[in-house]
């Protein structure tokens, strides 16, 4: 009996070792297969644009679509195995002859990126015309190349079909630039200076879509249209300096809209007349002139016809989560302080106090 038991144990051990061996061999073969080059004889360069904010999974999916790796899931596992949780955003020149390790090392270290790649930083609170000037400076495009692309309604219609947040409202003939307020400010990398206006525009719109997803539920309620929310956010961008005071400012705007008052926002008047905020005071005539952007005009009792600048996440948060308050007026001094009042008399008194203290903005 003892011998039989020993034989059974030996047999079980042999079977276990055999199965384990086969498993290890298959795992090793699979690992080598997934980690080896897609085509070790390939010399062609494949451009891979890894954008800021992309996850390891998204990068793996992109590499698989480009034919550089066999499995995005294995790429994700491989990054964890090699403690490479931070993959650097850049435009890389990769090849199918590269191993998984070579590809990961390249992206993890930021080496071997395209030498012709350029970085452009688009700032919040800027107008489309500012962006066009920047693109002219940093690329081989002219200011007119950018503006003509942005004002091409047939092109805009294709974008409306592509992006859920762009609606027919941007095609309003009274709007100066259809994409004003929709190009998200951030630092972007492009393949080289020959990048086209459309490539730039759609890269910024892709980023806008990522940002807006977090606010989609609130942006699609019945209080305002998405376009109106973007317009409000653009006003908050220029009127406020941080999320907290922007929430108060949006609260003031909402109160005035409910009461049937004009919004009285100076920044919209500057945009209406396409003047710089640093150019000094506008005239009484300009403030009083009706313009679909000028919310200072007494008979302009609605939001401006469209956004007036690029917007940050801070302004989006403020616009979708405004402070419920009882103020109808606000005024800022040159030190960045913002004062809120309930009546016009209080507002005028506070403005005079700021002037008397020598802290008036202009």
């Amino acid at each position: 009996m003892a011998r039989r038991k020993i034989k059974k144990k030996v047999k079980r051990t042999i079977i276990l070792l055999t199965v384990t061996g086969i498993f290890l061999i298959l795992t090793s073969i699979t690992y080598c297969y997934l980690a080896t080059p897609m085509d070790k004889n390939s010399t062609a360069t494949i451009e891979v644009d890894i954008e800021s904010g992309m996850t390891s999974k998204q990068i793996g999916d992109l590499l698989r679509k480009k034919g550089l790796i066999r499995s995005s899931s294995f790429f994700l596992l491989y990054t964890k195995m090699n403690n490479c949780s931070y993959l650097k955003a850049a435009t890389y020149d990769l090849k199918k002859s590269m191993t998984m390790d070579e590809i990961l090392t390249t992206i993890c270290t930021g080496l071997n990126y395209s030498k012709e790649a350029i970085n452009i930083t688009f700032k919040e609170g800027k107008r489309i015309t500012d962006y066009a000037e920047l693109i002219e400076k940093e690329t081989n495009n002219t200011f007119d190349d950018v503006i003509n692309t942005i004002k091409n309604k047939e092109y805009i219609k294709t974008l409306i079909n592509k992006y859920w947040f762009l609606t027919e409202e941007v095609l309003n003939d009274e709007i100066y630039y259809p994409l004003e307020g929709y190009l998200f400010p951030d630092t972007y990398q492009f393949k080289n200076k020959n990048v086209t206006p459309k490539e730039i525009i759609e890269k910024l719109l892709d980023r806008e879509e990522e940002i807006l997803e977090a606010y989609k539920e609130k942006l699609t309620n019945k209080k305002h249209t998405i376009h109106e929310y973007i317009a409000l956010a653009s006003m908050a961008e220029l009127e406020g300096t941080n999320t907290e005071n922007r929430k108060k400012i949006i609260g003031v705007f909402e109160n005035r809209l409910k009461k049937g008052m004009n919004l009285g926002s100076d920044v919209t008047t500057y945009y209406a007349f396409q003047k710089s905020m640093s150019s000094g005071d506008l005239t009484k005539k300009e403030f009083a002139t009706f313009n679909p952007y000028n919310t200072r005009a007494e008979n302009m009792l609605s939001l401006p016809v469209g956004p007036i600048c690029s917007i940050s996440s801070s302004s989006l948060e403020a616009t979708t989560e405004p402070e419920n308050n009882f103020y109808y007026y606000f005024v800022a001094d040159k030190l960045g302080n913002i004062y809120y009042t309930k009546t016009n008399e209080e507002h005028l008194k506070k403005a005079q106090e700021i002037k008397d203290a020598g802290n008036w903005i202009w």
Side-chain angles (χ1 to χ4, degrees):
M1 291 291 293
R3 288 182 179 179
R4 287 182 181 179
K5 287 183 179 180
I6 293 173
K7 285 183 178 180
K8 284 183 179 181
K9 286 183 179 180
V10 170
K11 187 176 181 180
R12 287 173 187 163
T13 301
I14 293 172
I15 292 173
L16 180 61
L17 290 174
T18 302
V19 170
T20 301
I22 292 173
F23 174 76
L24 291 173
I25 291 171
L26 291 175
T27 300
S28 178
I29 292 172
T30 302
Y31 181 91
C32 292
Y33 172 71
L34 295 175
T36 53
M38 293 290 286
D39 182 356
K40 63 181 180 180
N41 298 316
S42 176
T43 58
T45 297
I46 298 174
E47 186 179 276
V48 178
D49 186 15
I50 294 178
E51 300 177 5
S52 176
M54 289 182 72
T55 64
S56 296
K57 183 180 184 307
Q58 289 173 324
I59 294 172
D61 290 339
L62 177 61
L63 293 172
R64 183 181 57 77
K65 288 178 182 178
K66 292 279 188 177
L68 289 161
I69 62 173
R70 293 182 174 86
S71 169
S72 55
S73 297
F74 182 71
F75 176 81
L76 184 61
L77 174 63
Y78 203 82
T79 59
K80 293 179 179 179
M81 289 169 56
N82 289 274
N83 296 317
C84 184
S85 58
Y86 180 70
L87 303 177
K88 296 186 178 180
T91 299
Y92 296 93
D93 290 332
L94 304 177
K95 297 178 180 179
K96 290 185 177 181
S97 58
M98 297 173 72
T99 64
M100 178 77 78
D101 188 62
E102 289 172 329
I103 291 173
L104 182 61
T105 299
T106 297
I107 301 175
C108 204
T109 60
L111 299 175
N112 194 37
Y113 58 84
S114 174
K115 293 180 180 179
E116 294 184 346
I118 59 171
N119 292 321
I120 305 178
T121 299
F122 296 92
K123 297 181 179 180
E124 60 272 11
K126 297 297 182 181
R127 299 175 183 173
I128 283 284
T129 48
D130 296 321
Y131 280 13
E133 289 175 358
L134 179 61
I135 292 169
E136 179 179 61
K137 179 183 176 182
E138 300 292 340
T139 73
N140 292 330
N141 297 288
T142 66
F143 177 89
D144 288 340
D145 288 336
V146 180
I147 295 301
N148 289 337
T149 303
I150 286 172
K151 298 184 81 170
N152 184 324
K153 290 199 172 184
E154 292 306 311
Y155 174 55
I156 298 301
K157 288 177 183 177
T158 67
L159 296 178
I160 291 173
N161 290 329
K162 183 177 180 181
Y163 298 99
W164 62 267
F165 55 88
L166 283 177
T167 68
E168 297 288 332
E169 288 173 277
V170 302
L171 296 175
N172 188 323
D173 289 334
E174 292 182 322
I175 287 179
Y176 295 164
Y177 305 101
L179 296 180
E180 188 78 82
Y182 289 94
L183 303 181
F184 194 78
D186 204 342
T187 297
Y188 298 87
Q189 186 172 86
F190 303 97
K191 57 185 179 181
N192 54 46
K193 288 193 172 186
N194 291 323
V195 61
T196 67
K198 288 184 178 180
E199 289 175 317
I200 296 173
I201 288 167
E202 291 176 42
K203 192 159 190 174
L204 270 64
L205 286 174
D206 287 344
R207 183 70 176 130
E208 179 83 354
E209 185 168 40
E210 290 178 13
I211 298 299
L212 291 182
E213 279 294 333
Y215 304 93
K216 190 171 185 178
E217 184 177 349
K218 293 177 182 177
L219 288 171
T220 52
N221 66 30
K222 295 181 179 180
K223 187 174 184 180
H224 297 295
T225 65
I226 296 173
H227 185 67
E228 288 172 338
Y229 273 120
I230 301 299
L232 264 174
S234 70
M235 293 166 65
E237 186 70 43
L238 297 179
E239 294 282 16
T241 55
N242 57 50
T243 305
E244 182 181 354
N245 59 42
R246 284 170 178 148
K247 286 186 175 185
K248 285 189 175 183
I249 288 169
I250 294 297
V252 172
F253 287 151
E254 293 287 12
N255 291 339
R256 292 177 73 98
L257 286 171
K258 288 178 185 177
K259 199 170 182 178
M261 301 170 66
N262 69 342
L263 294 182
S265 175
D266 289 1
V267 295
T268 65
T269 313
Y270 278 94
Y271 187 85
F273 292 97
Q274 290 291 282
K275 289 189 175 182
S276 168
M277 291 287 292
S278 60
S279 61
D281 275 331
L282 296 170
T283 65
K284 288 184 178 179
K285 181 180 179 180
E286 286 172 322
F287 280 129
T289 300
F290 178 80
N291 178 290
Y293 281 103
N294 183 18
T295 65
R296 277 291 301 268
E298 289 186 9
N299 55 344
M300 176 64 174
L301 306 180
S302 63
L303 287 163
V305 69
I308 58 175
C309 69
S310 58
I311 58 176
S312 64
S313 294
S314 167
S315 292
L316 274 169
E317 180 181 339
T319 304
T320 54
E321 298 177 9
E323 176 185 284
N324 292 321
N325 56 52
F326 300 98
Y327 300 117
Y328 289 89
Y329 302 86
F330 65 88
V331 62
D333 63 23
K334 67 180 182 182
L335 302 176
N337 300 308
I338 301 177
Y339 306 90
Y340 305 86
T341 50
K342 296 178 181 179
T343 67
N344 188 45
E345 290 74 20
E346 292 174 342
H347 172 69
L348 294 175
K349 182 180 178 181
K350 178 56 68 175
Q352 190 59 52
E353 288 176 2
I354 294 172
K355 290 177 181 179
D356 292 343
N359 291 327
W360 194 245
I361 293 178
W362 293 291

